[in-house]
Amino acid sequence: MSARSSKSIVLTLCGIALSWHGSAEMVLPGYLTDPTAMKEVIAKDAGYQPPERLKYPYVSTYYVKPTVTPEETVKVGIYVTDFDSSKIRFRDDSHRFSAFFEYRLKGGESKVLELTDLKSGDAEFTIGKLPVGEYEFRVWAVDEKGRESHRVIHDFRAMTAADQTIPADRVYAMTAADLAAYGIRNDGDLERIVYVATNGEETVVKEKRPDVPGYTVKVPLDPKSGKVPFRAFEKATVVYDVGYDAALAETNAVATSDGLQRLVNEKAAEGFRKLVLLPGVYRVSWSRRLRLPDRFTLDLGGATLKLNACSVASVVMVNLASTVDSHLVGGTLEGDYWAHDYKGSPSGSEWVSGFEIGGDSWYSSVEGVTVRDITGYGGQNGIAKDAKGDLAFFCDWFPAYAPGGLDAKSGEVDTNDCCRFTTDFKDLKKIAGKGFRRLQVSKYLGYQGVATRSWQLTAAWYDAEKNFISAETCWQYREMWIPEQAAFIRISVEAENAEAAKKADLKLVAFRIPVNCAVKNCRFERCRCVGYAASAMKNMLFEGNFFTASGESAAKCAFDAEDGWDQMQDVYYTGNVFRENPIN
């Protein structure tokens, strides 16, 4: 992925099938032959070429199936290439690699598989059938000159088919009695929407509940297209019925939000794994967010959660906050696009959102949900506060850099290495004390990108007496396993000098981000700022979603890869449709 001066992002997809004719040496330009491809980085350092010993190979994985059964044969596909991507750029297929696949039950002993004499391109590891449990693996490549790639880390689980199915006696269907018992109202359809043609003809496209004071939104259609106009919220008028009580509507919305949360929590505590709502419109409050518990599915059952009108900049209607195996399915999340107080809202009302998959959520998903008429983002995911309100990350500084590069075999610093600079020993007590088993080396959030002369660097691990344990090539922003007994780390980076290495501002970080989550078969319609805003995740699937009329303001995207896109790793898009979005 690459991004430049705005929050919208240009997607560059690897592995595209290409055809060509003729005998030209170069097929596609890369940064070595086309400096404009990475002009922000290359322009200030145009004369630098890494020495051959630092031209590490590259490896990536295809989508890793998050959940398998003990009866199926587990396979993981990979892609491997040399530093220069020579097969694609120069039609040079002479490079050969070995690939290694290390896997283990979490907390168990590792097993390592090897593939040899691989050409540039695709390969596949066959792991076989696995017992029930939680697994983690890392895969890397070594070229014919002994140069090692970074390691790509993933997780998956093996579960029986029976354990993947919620039994009927663990499904709770909401009853009419629950409405009264929990103070929940599902009669919140107070909004009537009317389209007005240029000839004055009116068409009712949404009807409110009869005989109850509400409000009517009149939307003038575009005179040329006859459709809802761009930035329709600025052109619509809202007329409130006599007797409509905005304060009472909010009071009822708060009560409904609180009641739904109590119902969800209590049914989860009673051992139910799924709650199916009664049909209706549940008008909820901006001051609350419905949080899903672990291993729990909320089935809206065709119902609508409707956000009551507000004047705030940030809302999440349904939150999957550091959840495990939690799911939101069916029904509709509807915002307050028409009745929102834009003038009274700070920051352009940008972060009013339908749902969020945040923090270290695992195996969680949103599927078959319609999100419409949101003033901000239809859906979002990334680094976020967990259910306890804590931000789920660790961040610490590296000590000073000095000339020389780490020897990966000994952990010693070669002071004759004029291309690299190495930190002093960094104590891992803080990160170990917080329970993290992995870490990254990266810039801290924001607009990131390669911070030094190369994405790759060397990390070396040492015990409490600073005895060398092991070293590896790593990739900025990619996780590394922390070896057992590791108490210190040092890193070597490619830089012009020690001051440049320091200014790269690399940190030791451990982010808790959504892993093995999915957004499938959802519809995002008239989500004003962004249809979906993604900012951090790993092995995440976007499949079969439909985006329309989204992206009128702020980021102006139907799908926006948000700030911190280098934390968006191994993200897969398939079968998504983008139609009639106003900007891009």
Side-chain angles (χ1 to χ4, degrees):
M1 293 184 178
S2 64
R4 298 298 177 255
S5 60
S6 69
K7 294 175 72 176
S8 59
I9 193 165
V10 178
L11 298 180
T12 303
L13 304 181
C14 298
I16 297 175
L18 298 171
S19 62
W20 55 82
H21 304 278
S23 58
E25 285 293 317
M26 185 180 68
V27 178
L28 290 178
Y31 77 86
L32 294 180
T33 51
D34 179 11
T36 63
M38 294 179 66
K39 59 185 179 182
E40 303 95 324
V41 176
I42 300 299
K44 65 183 179 183
D45 209 7
Y48 175 75
Q49 292 292 328
E52 286 297 314
R53 59 188 170 81
L54 299 181
K55 290 186 176 182
Y56 308 102
Y58 178 84
V59 68
S60 61
T61 54
Y62 285 90
Y63 182 62
V64 175
K65 188 177 180 181
T67 304
V68 300
T69 67
E71 290 75 33
E72 65 184 288
T73 299
V74 178
K75 298 180 180 181
V76 174
I78 67 167
Y79 176 85
V80 61
T81 188
D82 65 296
F83 182 84
D84 292 325
S85 297
S86 297
K87 180 180 179 180
I88 297 297
R89 290 175 49 218
F90 307 119
R91 298 166 68 178
D92 175 6
D93 199 19
S94 63
H95 297 274
R96 295 295 180 267
F97 310 89
S98 294
F100 298 87
F101 185 94
E102 180 181 1
Y103 70 101
R104 64 193 182 193
L105 272 168
K106 290 185 178 178
E109 295 294 322
S110 288
K111 296 181 180 180
V112 180
L113 305 178
E114 181 180 359
L115 298 175
T116 60
D117 198 31
L118 297 177
K119 296 181 179 181
S120 297
D122 296 339
E124 186 176 66
F125 283 97
T126 300
I127 295 89
K129 298 178 181 179
L130 295 171
V132 168
E134 299 274 343
Y135 292 86
E136 58 186 351
F137 73 80
R138 57 183 178 178
V139 61
W140 67 98
V142 180
D143 67 14
E144 65 270 28
K145 294 185 178 180
R147 295 170 295 200
E148 293 192 3
S149 74
H150 64 291
R151 288 152 169 76
V152 177
I153 294 172
H154 281 293
D155 305 83
F156 65 95
R157 62 184 181 179
M159 295 177 65
T160 65
D163 285 341
Q164 294 181 47
T165 304
I166 300 176
D169 63 352
R170 297 293 89 191
V171 178
Y172 183 83
M174 185 184 188
T175 67
D178 291 323
L179 296 174
Y182 290 90
I184 299 170
R185 301 188 63 152
N186 65 344
D187 57 358
D189 44 343
L190 307 178
E191 183 176 80
R192 183 172 185 260
I193 298 179
V194 179
Y195 289 168
V196 183
T198 54
N199 63 4
E201 181 180 342
E202 296 185 351
T203 304
V204 178
V205 296
K206 180 183 177 185
E207 190 59 88
K208 70 179 184 65
R209 187 157 52 96
D211 304 323
V212 172
Y215 54 92
T216 296
V217 180
K218 289 194 175 184
V219 185
L221 298 179
D222 184 90
K224 293 182 179 180
S225 67
K227 297 180 179 180
V228 176
F230 174 61
R231 296 178 67 90
F233 64 95
E234 295 177 330
K235 303 172 177 64
T237 58
V238 181
V239 178
Y240 293 91
D241 297 339
V242 174
Y244 178 75
D245 189 332
L248 179 60
E250 178 59 22
T251 296
N252 290 338
V254 168
T256 293
S257 296
D258 291 343
L260 285 170
Q261 189 68 71
R262 283 198 302 119
L263 178 63
V264 165
N265 292 348
E266 289 181 14
K267 294 310 171 186
E270 291 170 12
F272 289 100
R273 292 178 55 197
K274 183 176 183 178
L275 168 65
V276 183
L277 295 188
L278 286 170
V281 177
Y282 297 78
R283 187 167 284 258
V284 296
S285 173
W286 61 269
S287 64
R288 306 291 194 269
R289 55 179 63 186
L290 183 57
R291 297 183 183 272
L292 300 191
D294 288 343
R295 298 175 179 83
F296 190 85
T297 296
L298 175 61
D299 187 342
L300 297 178
T304 295
L305 300 188
K306 167 68 177 176
L307 182 66
N308 195 45
C310 61
S311 60
V312 296
S314 181
V315 173
V316 174
M317 294 176 68
V318 181
N319 199 13
L320 287 69
S322 297
T323 63
V324 178
D325 205 3
S326 298
H327 310 277
L328 174 68
V329 302
T332 299
L333 303 180
E334 185 176 302
D336 67 329
Y337 179 96
W338 302 110
H340 188 81
D341 179 8
Y342 294 96
K343 292 182 180 180
S345 175
S347 303
S349 305
E350 183 176 355
W351 302 286
V352 179
S353 304
F355 66 84
E356 178 181 51
I357 304 174
D360 52 339
S361 290
W362 287 70
Y363 304 105
S364 296
S365 69
V366 178
E367 185 167 358
V369 175
T370 294
V371 187
R372 68 182 180 216
D373 293 348
I374 295 288
T375 64
Y377 306 160
Q380 63 188 45
N381 65 264
I383 299 166
K385 291 184 178 180
D386 61 19
K388 297 178 181 179
D390 297 325
L391 276 172
F393 67 85
F394 168 89
C395 180
D396 206 358
W397 300 88
F398 277 107
Y401 290 86
L406 285 164
D407 184 322
K409 294 181 179 179
S410 67
E412 298 293 329
V413 176
D414 178 5
T415 55
N416 293 318
D417 186 339
C418 60
C419 297
R420 296 190 296 168
F421 296 82
T422 301
T423 67
D424 200 353
F425 291 89
K426 174 63 183 177
D427 196 329
L428 296 175
K429 285 180 182 177
K430 288 183 180 180
I431 198 166
K434 291 181 177 292
F436 288 95
R437 299 172 57 250
R438 303 175 186 175
L439 55 79
Q440 306 171 25
V441 176
S442 72
K443 291 179 67 176
Y444 172 73
L445 298 182
Y447 293 87
Q448 298 174 326
V450 59
T452 55
R453 281 175 158 175
S454 174
W455 288 103
Q456 295 102 331
L457 50 92
T458 300
W461 310 89
Y462 307 82
D463 66 16
E465 284 72 46
K466 298 184 179 178
N467 297 311
F468 176 65
I469 299 173
S470 63
E472 63 186 273
T473 302
C474 63
W475 189 279
Q476 292 173 39
Y477 309 101
R478 278 283 183 183
E479 287 184 317
M480 297 179 288
W481 287 354
I482 303 175
E484 290 187 23
Q485 309 304 320
F488 293 92
I489 185 176
R490 302 179 80 177
I491 65 167
S492 290
V493 301
E494 293 177 56
E496 184 180 1
N497 50 48
E499 183 64 21
K502 178 182 177 182
K503 287 183 177 180
D505 202 26
L506 291 174
K507 296 181 176 65
L508 195 63
V509 299
F511 292 113
R512 292 189 176 112
I513 63 177
V515 177
N516 292 344
C517 295
V519 179
K520 300 172 63 177
N521 302 319
C522 293
R523 181 181 177 91
F524 298 90
E525 179 180 342
R526 197 171 291 107
C527 301
R528 187 180 65 104
C529 291
V530 177
Y532 192 96
S535 62
M537 63 281 208
K538 190 172 74 170
N539 202 53
M540 188 156 177
L541 178 65
F542 292 92
E543 180 178 40
N545 302 295
F546 187 90
F547 297 83
T548 187
S550 295
E552 297 176 314
S553 301
K556 299 179 180 178
C557 294
F559 191 102
D560 183 16
E562 274 283 338
D563 304 18
W565 45 75
D566 288 300
Q567 298 297 336
M568 287 179 277
Q569 299 171 8
D570 308 304
V571 184
Y572 301 87
Y573 305 86
T574 179
N576 300 290
V577 176
F578 296 81
R579 185 171 297 162
E580 296 184 345
N581 296 290
I583 302 296
N584 57 24

